[in-house]
Amino acid sequence: MTTRTLVSLAALAMSTLAMTAVAQEKKDVSKPEMNYQAGSSPLADVPMYQSTNPKAPKMTQAEFDRARQIYFERCAGCHGVLRKGATGKPLTPDITLEKGTDYLKVFIAYGSPAGMPNWQTSGEMDEATVDLMARYIQHDAPTPPEWSLADTKKTWKVTVAPKDRPTKKMNSYNIENIFSTTLRDSGEIALIDGDTKEIINIIKTGYAVHISRMSASGRYLFVIGRDAKINMVDLWMEKPDSVAEVRIGLEARSVETSKAKGYKDKLVIAGAYWPPQFTIMDGDTLEPKKIVSTRGMVVGTQEYHPEPRVASILGSHYKPEFIVNVKETGKTLMVDYSNLDALKITEIGSAPFLHDGGLDASKRYFMVAANNSNKIAAIDTKDGKLAGLTEVGKIPHPGRGANFTHPKFGPVWATGHLGDETISLIGTDPKKNKQYAFKEVAKLTGPGGGALFVKSHPKSKNLWSDAPLNPDPKISQAIVVYDINNLDKGFKTLPIAEWADLKDDGAKRVVQPEYNKAGDEVWFSVWSAKNKQSAIVVVDDKTLKLKKVIKDPRLITPTGHFNVYNTQHDVY
């Protein structure tokens, strides 16, 4: 028997053992989790430094380029840009070369108990692609460039200077009831008049706008794309449009403005996924002023992390502080912006993988999901400390969450979950309901996993939840609603996609309930592919009846939408 044959048999035996282990221990990674974690990264097309590792398996340049694209489209969200680990395990050559190609192919194909999706058996990748990726992750990771203040300033444009902008509102729109709707795949937002349901303007932005935030005055709208481009929109203009823009990195998710007394509209902050840092800008022009890195040590283990991404950011109503959540290290940074030349940062540790969240009804406590730790951290924005850390369901994803008064537990904040069908209710009143404060007081049963957003309103008796990433179209194309005063009765299901009456076979995923200013309408995006028809559906909050369907060929892949008044005042 030849040496080559012995090596082949050994590799086959190792693969068989690995496959058996997976079969025995495999914990299913749900389709919603896979859909969420495999979000495309703008870094797929960014020029990068590529080193050559002589020990790595051979790859042609074309193979390497293709594998790199797949990695950033499907894998970087879990394993990180540098492959040093994020919510997923590290995939650096010191680990992967020792495992070998055959061993790696098994785990890519079949997944792992730790949460690795089963890419081949799920149909997401074929055998050739699995082989390609097994070889690719044994090479040194290509490194994206850093992004400096000089790089940021090169992208900064003021298209309408402050001195040339209106001194008063120049249109007849009810600005407080305008909706900013993300048109994900066209790189635009739609401004929609909430009163007439007519489109006011379609504005070019960065790719896949992640969030819209309002200035404290309610005049300026700020949006940020996944490609880290920010647009500043002046709602006082005769036809509201972008007046300034800047790019603060290569990939990003969050933007916010200063809200504290004496600082309203003065500053803007944005957080990047790559490089891991945040940028503070002038509130009138987006001129970049200060960049702060978030690289550092992980809460608990105190291990250094080279790529802690900036997730959600909120402006404090109590102090001149930005509340900056750093994903991988599990830290909330209270950034005192009163003196940018002597910046003070208070570091509050909770749990790794901080992602999204929102304020409680009192606007004192920031409730943020540590999603892959299955926890909600309550940050006291007045006293600057961790008020509570609550265990919830699998992969909480609240958006901003939902606030309402529970008949028994008093004020609560709600979150849905990507990984299970539950909605967790957490008490938020340590004064009058201390026994329930920052504890999971109830768990509602929803239609299935894959929820991204829950929503309520102070003037409503309803709690809404979507599930756009659920694999069952009956669930992803509908919305569920609970009566807050009768939660034990369960939910009602409304066929939102059916009401949209779209004529093609698009995905028709229903996403992100959002109230109008009055709190008597709820808006939903019916989200299909770029080449399919989509729509906005408006429902009467009291009767739960269809009120309006907004259809327009310019509504390309609508996803998130944000009401100006509710966003400005953190009403959810």
Side-chain angles (χ1 to χ4, degrees):
M1 188 175 290
T2 66
T3 301
R4 177 173 294 182
T5 303
L6 287 170
V7 170
S8 298
L9 287 172
L12 177 62
M14 183 168 63
S15 296
T16 303
L17 286 171
M19 195 181 305
T20 302
V22 168
Q24 290 174 342
E25 300 181 39
K26 179 77 173 106
K27 298 175 183 176
D28 289 337
V29 176
S30 67
K31 188 70 173 178
E33 292 174 67
M34 186 183 294
N35 289 340
Y36 176 71
Q37 297 288 8
S40 179
S41 166
L43 290 172
D45 299 318
V46 172
M48 296 185 186
Y49 169 73
Q50 178 184 333
S51 66
T52 302
N53 188 337
K55 296 181 180 179
K58 290 182 179 180
M59 297 187 79
T60 66
Q61 187 62 49
E63 285 180 321
F64 188 92
D65 291 343
R66 173 60 181 150
R68 188 197 120 175
Q69 181 183 9
I70 293 170
Y71 180 84
F72 280 103
E73 287 178 349
R74 309 297 283 171
C75 314
C78 274
H79 298 286
V81 169
L82 303 177
R83 301 211 309 261
K84 293 188 177 182
T87 54
K89 300 290 186 182
L91 295 175
T92 46
D94 60 311
I95 298 170
T96 55
L97 279 168
E98 184 180 341
K99 299 291 186 184
T101 301
D102 288 331
Y103 188 92
L104 294 169
K105 282 166 65 175
V106 169
F107 278 90
I108 296 171
Y110 292 92
S112 78
M116 174 74 171
N118 51 323
W119 290 108
Q120 184 175 327
T121 55
S122 69
E124 298 287 332
M125 293 183 184
D126 59 21
E127 187 175 352
T129 303
V130 168
D131 176 74
L132 180 74
M133 298 310 295
R135 287 182 286 135
Y136 171 77
I137 60 176
Q138 294 175 75
H139 286 253
D140 291 334
T143 307
E146 298 294 327
W147 194 265
S148 67
L149 187 66
D151 294 322
T152 308
K153 285 187 173 181
K154 287 177 185 177
T155 70
W156 173 48
K157 298 176 184 177
V158 179
T159 51
V160 182
K163 66 182 178 62
D164 298 324
R165 296 173 196 165
T167 57
K168 61 180 180 180
K169 189 165 81 81
M170 300 299 292
N171 59 61
S172 59
Y173 300 116
N174 177 8
I175 286 178
E176 290 185 331
N177 202 34
I178 288 175
F179 286 75
S180 172
T181 297
T182 297
L183 306 181
R184 179 188 165 90
D185 294 332
S186 64
E188 298 169 322
I189 60 165
L191 296 182
I192 304 176
D193 186 330
D195 293 349
T196 66
K197 314 299 189 288
E198 298 293 328
I199 294 176
I200 296 169
N201 198 11
I202 303 289
I203 300 173
K204 281 288 179 186
T205 62
Y207 166 71
V209 163
H210 193 72
I211 197 167
S212 297
R213 295 297 287 166
M214 291 302 305
S215 66
S217 68
R219 173 175 181 172
Y220 292 112
L221 171 74
F222 297 87
V223 299
I224 189 165
R226 287 196 171 199
D227 57 1
K229 180 181 177 182
I230 303 170
N231 285 84
M232 177 181 183
V233 177
D234 186 354
L235 298 178
W236 278 14
M237 295 171 68
E238 185 175 355
K239 186 178 184 180
D241 209 339
S242 181
V243 294
E245 64 181 58
V246 72
R247 195 175 181 194
I248 56 93
L250 295 171
E251 184 173 4
R253 295 294 188 277
S254 53
V255 65
E256 178 61 302
T257 67
S258 52
K259 289 184 167 61
K261 185 177 180 181
Y263 295 90
K264 293 183 177 180
D265 292 19
K266 297 294 185 183
L267 295 170
V268 176
I269 184 173
Y273 267 28
W274 186 269
Q277 59 195 35
F278 60 84
T279 302
I280 299 175
M281 296 152 279
D282 180 80
D284 284 332
T285 65
L286 292 180
E287 179 184 5
K289 297 289 188 182
K290 186 115 181 158
I291 296 178
V292 179
S293 173
T294 55
R295 291 181 170 105
M297 315 308 282
V298 177
V299 166
T301 64
Q302 299 295 293
E303 294 175 328
Y304 176 75
H305 200 293
E307 194 189 331
R309 298 171 286 184
V310 179
S312 53
I313 302 176
L314 219 64
S316 172
H317 292 265
Y318 284 90
K319 302 176 185 178
E321 289 183 336
F322 291 123
I323 308 159
V324 179
N325 293 286
V326 186
K327 196 175 180 78
E328 277 70 29
T329 54
K331 295 175 181 177
T332 297
L333 308 180
M334 312 298 284
V335 181
D336 182 340
Y337 53 72
S338 60
N339 185 351
L340 296 187
D341 293 325
L343 199 69
K344 297 177 182 177
I345 299 178
T346 300
E347 182 183 289
I348 302 172
S350 55
F353 314 120
L354 296 176
H355 189 60
D356 59 345
L359 294 170
D360 78 307
S362 75
K363 296 181 174 57
R364 175 171 175 171
Y365 301 100
F366 184 71
M367 312 292 290
V368 59
N371 54 18
N372 280 69
S373 296
N374 302 329
K375 292 178 172 65
I376 300 294
I379 307 297
D380 186 338
T381 67
K382 184 178 180 181
D383 291 344
K385 64 182 183 181
L386 180 67
L389 191 60
T390 308
E391 190 88 24
V392 290
K394 188 177 181 182
I395 313 182
H397 193 287
R400 291 299 183 193
N403 290 299
F404 61 91
T405 300
H406 190 280
K408 178 180 178 182
F409 305 115
V412 297
W413 179 89
T415 179
H417 299 87
L418 273 157
D420 66 36
E421 63 182 8
T422 65
I423 295 174
S424 293
L425 307 185
I426 299 171
T428 58
D429 181 11
K431 289 186 177 180
K432 295 182 180 179
N433 294 276
K434 186 176 181 179
Q435 69 272 36
Y436 304 128
F438 313 119
K439 297 177 182 177
E440 186 184 57
V441 295
K443 193 184 286 287
L444 310 179
T445 300
L452 290 181
F453 302 99
V454 291
K455 188 71 69 171
S456 191
H457 190 279
K459 295 180 181 179
S460 174
K461 66 178 183 64
N462 293 325
L463 171 67
W464 301 82
S465 177
D466 64 14
L469 298 186
N470 194 285
D472 185 347
K474 291 180 181 178
I475 295 174
S476 65
Q477 294 182 7
I479 202 82
V480 298
V481 56
Y482 300 80
D483 182 342
I484 289 168
N485 295 317
N486 294 283
L487 291 170
D488 292 341
K489 291 185 177 180
F491 57 81
K492 292 182 180 179
T493 302
L494 304 186
I496 302 295
E498 181 182 318
W499 287 352
D501 192 28
L502 302 178
K503 301 303 182 184
D504 58 36
D505 58 351
K508 305 174 187 176
R509 290 170 289 191
V510 176
V511 64
Q512 194 159 353
E514 174 73 340
Y515 277 87
N516 64 343
K517 180 191 174 184
D520 57 11
E521 292 177 354
V522 191
W523 291 41
F524 304 92
S525 289
V526 183
W527 167 28
S528 285
K530 188 175 182 179
N531 61 344
K532 302 290 184 181
Q533 188 181 28
S534 294
I536 304 290
V537 172
V538 182
V539 175
D540 187 298
D541 184 64
K542 289 185 174 61
T543 66
L544 307 185
K545 302 293 184 183
L546 175 64
K547 193 167 184 178
K548 178 74 175 180
V549 178
I550 305 172
K551 294 181 184 178
D552 190 293
R554 295 174 292 173
L555 291 178
I556 298 169
T557 57
T559 50
H561 38 258
F562 303 85
N563 174 267
V564 165
Y565 181 87
N566 294 337
T567 303
Q568 176 189 356
H569 296 281
D570 290 300
V571 176
Y572 28 77

